[in-house]
Amino acid sequence: TEDGEEHYEGVGGGLEFYTEVNHVRYYKSPDKMKEMESEGPTPADTEFGGMHVFKNVCLTNNIDARSYENNPTTSLRGLIYFTRDEEDNSQRCVPCSNSEDMDNWDGTYEDEGVVKHKCGMNGLHTMYATSAGDWSNCIMEEENNQMMKKFGQTQSPMNVTSVHFFQAPTFLLQFNAFDMESSLFDMLMTYIPFWRKFEKNEFPFTSLISHSVKGCVS
C-alpha cells in the first residue's frame, strides 16, 4: 500500500518488526532486525570492470569530506561490513583516512596498523560491525569518535535509530557534486557493464541511493 504494510515475523525467541514499502523494509529500531553476514565485493562484469557487487552491507555518508581544505567532495562513503570476525577489535567501526589511493580491496595500507582492519577501496572506506546497533555503539565511544574526526571520516548518522533494508538490488549513484563534468564521466563509465542488460529489459536494480538520498540507517 502507499503507507506501507506492517509485518511481524518470528525470529528465534522474539519478533522481527518492520514496515515494508516498495521492497524496502523499515525497522524502527536496529535491535528489531535479525543478524546479517556481508559478502563481496565481486566484479559486476569481468570484461568491463569498474563496478562491484556487495551483499548485506550498509552505506553511510562522510560529512567531513565536504569541508576538506584540498579537493572537497561528496563522493566518500563509509561501508559497514557485517561480520563477527572483527568483534574483538575495539576500532572495528573506524574507517581509514583518505590519505592514500586505495585501488584494491585486498590491498595493504598504512592506516591498517591503527584501526587493525582492512581499509576498503577508493570511495568506500570499510567499517566492521556485527549489526547496525553495534556499529552505532562503537562509533559513539570517545576514542573512536575522536579518531574519526582526526581522519576526517565523521559519518552520518552518528546515532542509529532505524534501519532501512533494501531487499532488491540497489544501485549506488556515487559522484562528486562539486565536479559535475568529472562525475558525469565517472558514472557513465561505471554504468557501461549494465547498458546491454538495460537494452534487453534486464536492468538488475530496483532501487537507487546517493549522497542526497537516505541510505540504510538513520
Side-chain angles (χ1 to χ4, degrees), residues 90-106:
S90 60
Q91 276 82 50
R92 62 190 178 279
C93 59
V94 180
C96 298
S97 69
N98 196 43
S99 60
E100 291 185 83
D101 184 34
M102 299 186 295
D103 58 356
N104 190 326
W105 176 266
D106 295 317

Side-chain angles (χ1 to χ4, degrees), residues 30 33-36 80 82-83 128-136:
M33 189 174 181
K34 59 186 176 183
E35 187 171 318
M36 294 190 301
I80 307 175
F82 297 111
T83 177
Y128 292 89
T130 59
S131 66
D134 173 59
W135 176 79
S136 182

Side-chain angles (χ1 to χ4, degrees), residues 115-130:
V115 298
K116 305 179 185 67
H117 63 69
K118 303 298 287 185
C119 288
M121 61 175 65
N122 288 330
L124 288 177
H125 298 122
T126 314
M127 304 170 287
Y128 292 89
T130 59

